[in-house]
C-alpha cells in the first residue's frame, strides 16, 4: 500500500526484466524475501536483490512446467509440475522424488509446508 494514498502498489516483471517466462502459475516469497516464480515451460525464476536467477535446466524437469512452490522450515524450496513428482532445491542442487520413492501419484497439484517440517501434497487421488 502506498503510505500516502492507501492504494495498493504492484510490481510488474516480464521477460524484458529477466523473468524466464511471462506465463506464471505461482509466485512464492521465501523467508529471505526472495520472490520465486513457477512458469509454464521455463522452469523457475528467482528474484533476489533485484536480479533474476533462472533455473530452466533442472534434471528430470523435462517439460519445464512448474505449478507451485513452497519453502520448508529448513529453507529448502519445494516445487511440483505436470506429472513430474516432487522436487526440492537446497540452494545448491535439485533432487526429485516420485512414485518409486514412496509418493502415491506423480501428478501433484499443490503443496504446502507446515512449521514442523511436514509437507502436505494434493493429487488426483487425494492427499499425502
Amino acid at each position: 500500500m502506498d503510505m500516502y494514498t492507501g492504494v495498493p502498489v504492484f510490481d510488474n516483471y516480464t521477460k524484458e526484466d529477466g523473468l524466464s517466462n511471462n506465463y506464471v502459475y505461482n509466485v512464492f516469497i521465501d523467508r529471505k524475501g526472495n520472490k520465486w516464480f513457477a512458469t509454464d515451460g521455463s522452469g523457475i525464476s528467482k528474484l533476489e536483490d533485484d536480479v533474476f536467477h533462472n533455473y530452466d535446466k533442472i534434471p528430470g524437469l523435462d517439460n519445464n512446467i512448474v505449478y507451485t512452490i513452497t519453502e520448508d522450515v529448513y529453507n529448502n524450496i519445494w516445487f511440483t509440475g505436470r506429472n513430474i513428482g516432487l522436487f526440492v532445491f537446497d540452494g545448491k542442487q535439485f533432487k526429485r522424488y516420485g512414485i518409486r520413492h514412496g509418493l502415491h501419484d506423480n501428478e501433484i497439484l499443490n503443496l504446502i509446508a507446515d512449521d514442523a517440517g511436514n509437507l502436505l501434497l494434493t493429487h488426483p487421488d487425494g492427499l499425502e
Side-chain angles (χ1 to χ4, degrees):
M1 295 278 192
D2 181 279
M3 62 186 276
Y4 300 108
T5 65
V7 175
V9 176
F10 298 96
D11 292 326
N12 291 305
Y13 303 106
T14 67
K15 286 180 76 169
E16 292 176 2
D17 301 307
L19 184 65
S20 64
N21 192 319
N22 288 337
Y23 196 110
V24 174
Y25 284 111
N26 183 254
V27 178
F28 177 78
I29 301 174
D30 68 19
R31 287 179 178 84
K32 297 176 184 174
N34 300 315
K35 297 173 181 91
W36 296 80
F37 302 87
T39 74
D40 182 20
S42 299
I44 295 175
S45 288
K46 176 176 75 166
L47 182 61
E48 178 180 26
D49 298 326
D50 296 322
V51 175
F52 277 99
H53 304 275
N54 296 313
Y55 304 98
D56 59 354
K57 305 242 185 304
I58 301 168
L61 187 62
D62 299 331
N63 54 24
N64 276 325
I65 297 171
V66 178
Y67 289 145
T68 188
I69 304 171
T70 195
E71 179 182 25
D72 66 20
V73 295
Y74 308 106
N75 299 320
N76 294 308
I77 299 297
W78 295 85
F79 62 95
T80 67
R82 189 178 69 195
N83 203 27
I84 59 166
L86 180 66
F87 281 79
V88 63
F89 179 58
D90 65 6
K92 297 178 185 166
Q93 62 184 351
F94 294 90
K95 186 171 184 180
R96 181 181 178 199
Y97 297 96
I99 291 173
R100 69 181 185 150
H101 300 100
L103 288 178
H104 184 74
D105 195 321
N106 278 334
E107 185 67 22
I108 299 169
L109 304 172
N110 205 346
L111 76 152
I112 192 167
D114 68 14
D115 292 336
N118 301 303
L119 293 175
L120 175 65
L121 313 172
T122 65
H123 49 70
D125 294 324
L127 303 171
E128 285 191 49

